[in-house]
Amino acid sequence: MYGNWGKFLRVNLSTGEVKVEEYEEELAKKWLGSRGLAIYFLLKEMDPKVDPLGPENKLILTPGPLSGTSAPTGGRYNVVTKSPATGFITMANSGGYFGAELKFAGWDGIIVEGKAEKPVYIYIKDEHVEIRDASHLWGKVVSETEEAIRKEIGSKKVRIALIGPAGENLVKFAAIMNDGHRAAGRAGVGAVMGSKNLKAIAVEGSKRVPIADKQKFMLTVREKINKLKNDPVAGGGLPNYGTAVLVNIINENGLYPTRNFQTGVFEHAYEQSGEAMAKKYLIRNQPCYACPIGCGRVNKLPTVGVTEGPEYESTWAFGANLGINDLASIIEANHQCDEFGLDTISTGGTLATAMELYEKGYLTDEELGDAPPFRWGNTEVLHYYIEKIAYRKDFGDKLAEGGYRLAESYGHPEYSMSVKKLELPAYDPRGAEGHGLGYATNNRGGCHIKNYMISPEILGYPYKMDPHDISDDKVKMLIIFQDLSALIDAAGLCLFTTFGLGADDYRDMLNAALGWDFTTEDYLKIGERIWNAERLFNLKAGLVPERDDTLPKRFLEEPMPEGPNKGHVVRLKEMLPRYYKLRGWTEDGRIPKEKAEELGIAEFL
Amino acid sequence: MLRVHFKVVYVLVKLFATLIEFTGKRKLEISGPKTVRELLDELERTFPGFKKELEKGHIILVNGKNIEHLQGLDTPLKDDDTVSIFPPAGGG
Ligand code: SF4
């Protein structure tokens, strides 16, 4: 087998048993790897109804067949598990170097099962696997933990994925961090790791990923790297300004969510844009493994010193969405979240919900006592509550449940801007309706990255579509984006490569590496299979389409109050039935037997 | 005395990313152009090479609406319109 090793490591923390899970190439031909194989294992082995924070839930960390190769951005891995935030599947993706290192050690992934009696970490050096005591690391922030493990192992080469205090304290939106500031962020994967008493996974590898046709692979990789380097976005906008180059674009287009999505234009956008950051704080950009793009930011501040980030989403989460105009505080908040191991989008989204509850008078000074009031623009909120959330202290305990549960506890869930209880990222769907349909149908809830319709609707990739067009063409484009994203995740590459590469380019690299002669359609079929399998998992976990495939009331009923999208809502009701139909699902959003058979997943029905 | 009133169109132009570096300006007011095409010609006169900066792609908005869905470069401009011009960009 090429690309993949055909081997997963299975570690049961309840029993301490370590096993090798081997699989045949046929399985890779069906699921490709990573996000694909992970959903296959979960459907096969686990009841989707399990308690996400119970020992029965499985946590899978898995790079793809192109991870650890010279393919551009081949350093990614996915964390796939049942989310404690949504109660559905989540596949959080991260860059850095950890994913590639796991491949160098000879593994396509780790399946973590059960729950350790006391805190532990897993140390992997090629075939050698140890479960080590981590009691002395429990409670430590991310940078301290990394440093301590590195010292203990006595190797600079070791790569570590780990949780901070937020994961230990089962914060519903705790992240798994790796290589300092890279995060598998969304939907509480860090809490699942914490529930297993697993502080970290440290890996060192010495192998080379086997490639079927080395010569051809080298040539095709070179060609794709050139494409990326010559692309004005992948080779210019992203390295120069980072993802926060979007701040002005999204704001000028009138869909930059401001004050918990009450409007789509923020008066101080420029001051916290990628342009402003580059001028004020940027030292250099920072690539992940084998990445010719290098969108990562290295900033320097007097308070926290040298730090990485923030990305576009984080800049927004702590800025416009809270009405905050203070770039230094935003960068500091991002740094804090990285140290505690918190997802920035959900942290900001939850604080925004608290602010609106406060504005509307449901959350009062009386309840908060001496703690800072949740007033729009109050930077104190960032510095004070982020730490409280991570340790579940005082009001932080309520916030740690996420925005939806917080708003619900005051009898007003409508103030949580979330889908399937996952906080939404930085695009108001009233300014990009296809993106809104994406939010409503995304398998992990309020997520942008697995169906980035902002590309066609706002940025013009692969071509420009009207953000308020809701024809079948739009719905079809969304389906292609969802399936293609699943494929790229399964391959082990970064979704930002889509700014320079098309579906055929992924086919070329995969065929050369794996030794297959698949067509582009064959690969997209794998993407479709993965998307459907995840949907099936969700349906079995209790997803009710008519209740869960929806958006916050604000987007359906409150027209955008100002700016270029003034007067618009999302016409979800007009799109959703056509989405189900074009997916080949039943009218009520379920997967019929014929579709499951066509995709070869009927065994899981 | 004879007075002639000319109706002069003033538009606010906002520039972003590399275009700020290229022109040294974030915002400027331009008088005269009746369409986006005329505006770009004017910018080219003031900043030679400006159009070349947009060759690899661009996003042009008139009052927040993409000209692709208006009348492209022939989109008419009127007094007090805001035109935002971006070089190609992406993220997520
Ligand atoms: S584009 Fe950015 S996030 Fe993606 S691999 Fe490169 S540096 Fe990492």
Side-chain angles (χ1 to χ4, degrees):
Chain A
M1 202 180 309
Y2 296 101
N4 291 309
W5 293 105
K7 274 195 287 187
F8 271 70
L9 183 64
R10 191 185 286 277
V11 180
N12 188 312
L13 292 175
S14 298
T15 61
E17 195 181 9
V18 175
K19 276 201 291 201
V20 180
E21 176 81 37
E22 295 195 52
Y23 64 91
E24 300 296 322
E25 189 171 13
E26 280 316 299
L27 206 63
K29 286 195 166 160
K30 209 166 156 183
W31 300 98
L32 192 55
S34 190
R35 182 175 158 188
L37 283 172
I39 188 62
Y40 163 79
F41 282 127
L42 288 186
L43 277 172
K44 193 170 142 228
E45 301 175 0
M46 190 175 99
D47 179 359
K49 289 210 161 59
V50 297
D51 170 8
L53 298 178
E56 314 79 34
N57 193 12
K58 301 192 185 198
L59 177 72
I60 305 182
L61 293 88
T62 167
L66 295 183
S67 310
T69 71
S70 57
T73 75
R76 314 289 306 188
Y77 72 102
N78 281 285
V79 180
V80 186
T81 189
K82 180 171 175 179
S83 157
T86 63
F88 302 124
I89 193 78
T90 183
M91 19 9 196
N93 186 291
S94 180
Y97 294 79
F98 175 82
E101 197 69 30
L102 197 52
K103 282 293 287 292
F104 299 155
W107 303 105
D108 297 332
I110 312 171
I111 304 171
V112 183
E113 306 173 336
K115 175 185 178 175
E117 236 167 63
K118 52 180 182 42
V120 295
Y121 76 91
I122 300 173
Y123 172 51
I124 301 165
K125 188 173 186 184
D126 293 330
E127 285 78 26
H128 174 85
V129 182
E130 256 178 77
I131 300 172
R132 293 184 169 186
D133 178 44
S135 308
H136 57 299
L137 302 171
W138 210 246
K140 280 198 194 317
V141 296
V142 166
S143 61
E144 283 172 14
T145 310
E146 272 209 63
E147 206 187 297
I149 293 180
R150 224 167 240 134
K151 243 196 209 140
E152 219 165 281
I153 292 171
S155 158
K156 282 216 172 86
K157 243 197 95 221
V158 69
R159 299 288 179 184
I160 304 164
L162 71 166
I163 54 170
E168 298 171 10
N169 296 318
L170 312 183
V171 175
K172 290 263 173 6
F173 43 93
I176 295 179
M177 306 298 298
N178 60 275
D179 303 294
H181 295 273
R182 287 281 158 184
R186 305 231 61 202
V189 291
V192 176
M193 189 150 158
S195 76
K196 302 197 169 307
N197 267 328
L198 178 60
K199 179 71 176 170
I201 300 173
V203 190
E204 274 181 286
S206 64
K207 301 184 201 321
R208 276 180 158 231
V209 179
I211 298 294
D213 188 336
K214 284 194 187 128
Q215 182 69 15
K216 199 160 145 207
F217 185 65
M218 203 183 75
L219 289 174
T220 179
V221 161
R222 205 176 286 161
E223 183 213 331
K224 309 309 173 197
I225 290 178
N226 276 335
K227 260 194 175 172
L228 288 169
K229 286 204 162 142
N230 289 323
D231 180 85
V233 174
L238 279 173
N240 291 342
Y241 299 105
T243 53
V245 72
L246 281 179
V247 172
N248 287 318
I249 300 180
I250 302 302
N251 191 54
E252 293 291 311
N253 276 279
L255 61 156
Y256 196 49
T258 300
R259 296 180 189 86
N260 202 31
F261 290 78
Q262 294 193 55
T263 180
V265 214
F266 186 48
E267 59 279 21
H268 302 296
Y270 183 83
E271 287 117 278
Q272 40 197 259
S273 64
E275 287 95 322
M277 207 187 304
K279 222 173 175 175
K280 265 185 146 166
Y281 301 112
L282 186 75
I283 322 181
R284 60 184 160 88
N285 67 336
Q286 170 90 353
C288 300
Y289 170 85
C291 177
I293 304 171
C295 73
R297 306 288 86 188
V298 179
N299 284 311
K300 192 174 172 185
L301 252 70
T303 42
V304 296
V306 176
T307 182
E308 275 181 48
E311 303 303 317
Y312 166 69
E313 306 294 338
S314 317
T315 310
W316 159 81
F318 300 131
N321 205 28
L322 305 177
I324 285 176
N325 175 27
D326 176 359
L327 184 53
S329 289
I330 293 170
I331 299 177
E332 282 161 18
N334 183 69
H335 180 83
Q336 267 187 305
C337 283
D338 288 357
E339 280 292 68
F340 294 133
L342 282 167
D343 173 38
T344 53
I345 297 178
S346 286
T347 303
T350 301
L351 293 173
T353 298
M355 282 187 172
E356 190 161 0
L357 288 169
Y358 183 84
E359 179 194 68
K360 300 282 189 305
Y362 299 114
L363 172 56
T364 60
D365 286 323
E366 217 183 339
E367 184 178 356
L368 294 173
D370 291 339
F374 279 102
R375 236 176 254 123
W376 300 116
N378 183 5
T379 51
E380 243 188 307
V381 164
L382 295 177
H383 299 295
Y384 183 86
Y385 289 107
I386 289 177
E387 185 173 349
K388 296 281 181 202
I389 292 172
Y391 293 99
R392 279 191 178 267
K393 269 200 210 122
D394 310 328
F395 195 69
D397 191 33
K398 248 183 169 173
L399 295 168
E401 288 298 301
Y404 185 88
R405 290 172 181 88
L406 176 75
E408 200 182 29
S409 73
Y410 291 92
H412 290 280
E414 70 275 16
Y415 292 124
S416 164
M417 296 304 125
S418 58
V419 172
K420 300 183 174 73
K421 303 192 179 78
L422 183 68
E423 289 74 16
L424 288 170
Y427 314 89
D428 191 311
R430 287 171 294 188
E433 295 188 57
H435 196 65
L437 178 63
Y439 285 155
T441 57
N442 195 303
N443 285 327
R444 68 169 176 177
C447 148
H448 61 298
I449 203 80
K450 312 287 181 198
N451 38 228
Y452 198 60
M453 288 298 282
I454 295 304
S455 256
E457 293 190 290
I458 304 295
L459 306 172
Y461 273 80
Y463 56 87
K464 184 77 178 69
M465 292 183 111
D466 188 330
H468 295 296
D469 162 53
I470 56 166
S471 67
D472 279 3
D473 284 347
K474 183 62 80 61
V475 180
K476 280 181 198 156
M477 183 62 107
L478 170 68
I479 292 173
I480 292 176
F481 264 65
Q482 291 180 336
D483 294 350
L484 182 65
S485 303
L487 175 79
I488 297 169
D489 276 351
L493 299 182
C494 176
L495 288 167
F496 290 164
T497 50
T498 52
F499 287 113
L501 305 181
D504 292 348
D505 295 309
Y506 300 104
R507 173 205 61 200
D508 294 347
M509 289 191 283
L510 285 164
N511 276 345
L514 299 166
W516 301 347
D517 54 359
F518 278 22
T519 62
T520 303
E521 287 67 42
D522 293 335
Y523 281 117
L524 281 173
K525 198 84 198 162
I526 295 179
E528 187 190 359
R529 180 174 300 121
I530 295 170
W531 193 272
N532 276 266
E534 290 168 349
R535 172 79 174 182
L536 195 56
F537 181 96
N538 283 354
L539 287 164
K540 289 172 108 176
L543 181 131
V544 179
E546 48 279 24
R547 182 193 66 198
D548 299 320
D549 291 345
T550 188
L551 293 170
K553 232 167 63 192
R554 174 158 291 163
F555 307 128
L556 305 174
E557 291 174 10
E558 282 175 36
M560 182 73 97
E562 58 180 327
N565 299 301
K566 188 173 173 181
H568 283 282
V569 292
V570 183
R571 290 162 292 172
L572 182 66
K573 270 209 181 102
E574 293 174 45
M575 293 185 280
L576 196 57
R578 283 182 285 131
Y579 173 85
Y580 290 158
K581 195 164 176 213
L582 287 163
R583 273 255 173 237
W585 296 349
T586 62
E587 261 170 41
D588 57 355
R590 283 157 177 92
I591 302 171
K593 199 161 162 255
E594 309 81 68
K595 185 74 197 171
E597 274 166 357
E598 175 204 316
L599 293 169
I601 55 171
E603 59 180 304
F604 301 125
L605 277 179
Chain B
M1 198 163 69
L2 187 69
R3 278 193 186 189
V4 183
H5 287 277
F6 287 106
K7 180 85 187 103
V8 180
V9 177
Y10 275 96
V11 297
L12 174 68
V13 180
K14 291 168 138 184
L15 302 172
F16 298 93
T18 44
L19 297 177
I20 302 177
E21 286 158 42
F22 184 76
T23 61
K25 294 209 183 324
R26 262 177 63 195
K27 281 184 191 168
L28 58 156
E29 243 187 30
I30 294 206
S31 65
K34 290 190 280 304
T35 61
V36 173
R37 190 187 308 278
E38 286 181 27
L39 172 70
L40 293 184
D41 290 342
E42 185 56 39
L43 286 167
E44 176 70 31
R45 266 192 293 278
T46 320
F47 309 105
F50 187 87
K51 281 192 185 168
K52 195 161 190 304
E53 290 290 304
L54 305 181
E55 245 170 25
K56 277 193 165 182
H58 54 255
I59 299 173
I60 300 177
L61 312 176
V62 175
N63 302 325
K65 297 213 162 81
N66 198 308
I67 59 165
E68 295 255 350
H69 310 303
L70 301 169
Q71 293 165 48
L73 293 175
D74 296 323
T75 303
L77 295 175
K78 48 181 189 3
D79 224 7
D80 284 339
D81 276 350
T82 299
V83 182
S84 318
I85 309 179
F86 300 88

